[in-house]
Amino acid sequence: MLIAINSERDENDKPSKEIRDRAYAYLKEAVDQICEYGKYVLRENEERLEKYSSVYFRKLREEREEQEGNITE
């Protein structure tokens, strides 16, 4: 009986999940474009440029460069 209730609930949630997923995809695309354009426009202003780059990817790049430096030594 619980399975029937849960599967019925899942069927009712499909439209809202689809809308949520689409909204996320559109938002992510917009944010990515803003960051890309911001990087281009502010490429000569290091202080402002930093605000348009991902902290996560910056940290990954720094760790990778640090590991490469350790390998070459």
Side-chain angles (χ1 to χ4, degrees):
M1 186 166 157
L2 183 59
I3 293 172
I5 292 171
N6 284 340
S7 65
E8 184 178 322
R9 187 180 306 153
D10 289 343
E11 290 296 320
N12 293 336
D13 289 342
K14 281 187 179 181
S16 61
K17 183 181 180 308
E18 186 176 327
I19 291 170
R20 182 201 66 201
D21 292 349
R22 285 184 185 190
Y24 172 80
Y26 290 136
L27 178 62
K28 172 121 176 58
E29 184 178 337
V31 169
D32 289 347
Q33 284 183 352
I34 290 169
C35 287
E36 184 179 331
Y37 297 148
K39 288 177 190 177
Y40 176 76
V41 170
L42 301 170
R43 66 187 179 276
E44 295 175 3
N45 186 338
E46 289 290 326
E47 185 178 318
R48 299 262 327 261
L49 178 62
E50 189 174 297
K51 295 177 182 174
Y52 285 85
S53 61
S54 169
V55 173
Y56 173 76
F57 286 118
R58 193 177 324 126
K59 186 174 182 180
L60 281 179
R61 184 178 60 245
E62 289 171 358
E63 289 174 357
R64 185 180 65 237
E65 290 172 355
E66 182 178 306
Q67 288 176 353
E68 288 174 358
N70 291 338
I71 292 173
T72 58
E73 291 176 356

